[in-house]
Amino acid sequence: MTSTTKIAESTVKPTTGVDPHDIAGIILTGHGNGLYLADEFGNQVRNGIVSSDSRAQPIVDRWINDGSFQEKCQPVTLQSLFAGGPLAILAWISENKNLARSYKLLMDEVWCKKYANQSHIRDMRKCTVGLVGVGNIGSRVAKRLAGFESRVIAYDPYLRPEQVEELGIERVETLEELLAQSDFVSLHMRISEDTHHMINADALALMKPTAYLVNTARADLVDEEALAGALSDHRIGGAAIDVYADEPLAEDHPTSAWTTSR
């Protein structure tokens, strides 16, 4: 599940007016290295750390003191850090309105008059969007959804009451409850033993037959074989998937038949 984010300050001052509680400086990875936040020109924005592990701060302090910081940490821009939020929204609009599919068909000189999801192309104002995970990306998606006038529900064991009020969303207690209510299910979880293949055959069976699954987070959140089966049998309305276990996608991948034709 998502982890509580802890930001520990270092002795180096930010070089821009960035809110440290809004933007993190260093994301400590599981490979013993990290990422530091940079602007579009590669200039370091700030030193700080995002981690649920209090042991991370001494590690980064050591990197700074022994001069290995630049070697250990690689730059990540503001654009790449925040890309997941808009991407998720664009993905489900594209799937719902058949934007990418229409483009592909037109390039193949095919004029499609009726799509497979014709009966359930949704008006966002009348939809329930379910966010699975409300961390850094999930919370940004929730903020952007305010303009769509959608009902937004969220499942995240670490979601705080003040976040619910601030984001204007509704909290549900279980993933099952979210899946049953949502017209769009958008994944924003990290990978762990608990979240690996959290969207499996049983989970997909709980979704509405007109609902869409969106995954711009981690490939292993979804059982790809189960998803292919749900799409093939028309048990869900559609899926917009940006991440796969093996990339680039092989021609014989179980979901390949549905990437543009359905």
Side-chain angles (χ1 to χ4, degrees):
M1 301 301 176
T2 53
S3 300
T4 302
T5 298
K6 178 182 178 180
I7 298 181
E9 300 292 342
S10 77
T11 57
V12 182
K13 300 297 183 182
T15 58
T16 67
V18 180
D19 182 351
H21 296 286
D22 190 38
I23 300 174
I26 300 171
I27 304 170
L28 198 69
T29 71
H31 302 291
N33 55 13
L35 304 172
Y36 69 84
L37 190 64
D39 63 19
E40 62 270 32
F41 303 107
N43 300 314
Q44 189 176 330
V45 173
R46 53 164 284 146
N47 283 319
I49 188 165
V50 178
S51 176
S52 58
D53 187 346
S54 61
R55 296 171 296 177
Q57 184 63 57
I59 295 173
V60 175
D61 286 342
R62 187 175 70 249
W63 291 346
I64 294 172
N65 292 331
D66 66 17
S68 64
F69 179 82
Q70 296 295 335
E71 176 187 347
K72 294 287 188 180
C73 296
Q74 299 297 318
V76 56
T77 65
L78 294 175
Q79 290 89 338
S80 63
L81 185 62
F82 301 145
L87 177 60
I89 296 174
L90 288 171
W92 69 59
I93 291 175
S94 177
E95 178 64 16
N96 181 39
K97 300 295 187 180
N98 298 293
L99 301 183
R101 190 171 292 112
S102 296
Y103 175 80
K104 174 65 167 60
L105 291 171
L106 285 172
M107 291 298 97
D108 293 340
E109 299 183 353
V110 175
W111 182 259
C112 184
K113 295 183 178 180
K114 187 175 182 180
Y115 291 94
N117 67 339
Q118 200 75 31
S119 64
H120 49 275
I121 296 176
R122 312 307 298 263
D123 181 343
M124 292 292 291
R125 295 170 299 178
K126 301 176 182 178
C127 286
T128 296
V129 177
L131 301 180
V132 183
V134 193
N136 192 31
I137 300 297
S139 61
R140 293 180 183 281
V141 173
K143 290 177 182 178
R144 286 172 169 83
L145 283 173
F148 289 88
E149 301 179 26
S150 304
R151 176 188 177 224
V152 182
I153 62 176
Y155 167 70
D156 189 327
Y158 299 95
L159 186 61
R160 302 187 306 274
E162 59 268 28
Q163 285 181 284
V164 173
E165 183 176 354
E166 176 189 352
L167 297 172
I169 61 180
E170 302 173 34
R171 177 176 182 168
V172 296
E173 296 302 321
T174 66
L175 175 62
E176 291 75 15
E177 185 179 352
L178 180 141
L179 294 172
Q181 294 187 37
S182 299
D183 298 300
F184 295 88
V185 176
S186 190
L187 307 181
H188 303 285
M189 286 284 195
R190 299 174 182 174
I191 287 295
S192 69
E193 290 184 3
D194 293 327
T195 62
H196 183 268
H197 283 187
M198 66 188 305
I199 303 300
N200 54 22
D202 291 338
L204 290 164
L206 296 174
M207 293 176 61
K208 299 177 182 180
T210 56
Y212 300 90
L213 175 70
V214 178
N215 185 16
T216 59
R218 298 290 183 269
D220 286 340
L221 294 173
V222 178
D223 181 337
E224 294 175 359
E225 292 279 355
L227 175 60
L231 290 170
S232 179
D233 296 341
H234 298 264
R235 283 183 272 118
I236 64 173
I241 307 298
D242 182 57
V243 286
Y244 291 90
D246 295 308
E247 297 177 343
L249 201 61
E251 292 184 3
D252 60 351
H253 188 277
T255 62
S256 290
W258 312 108
T259 55
T260 57
S261 62
R262 189 177 187 282

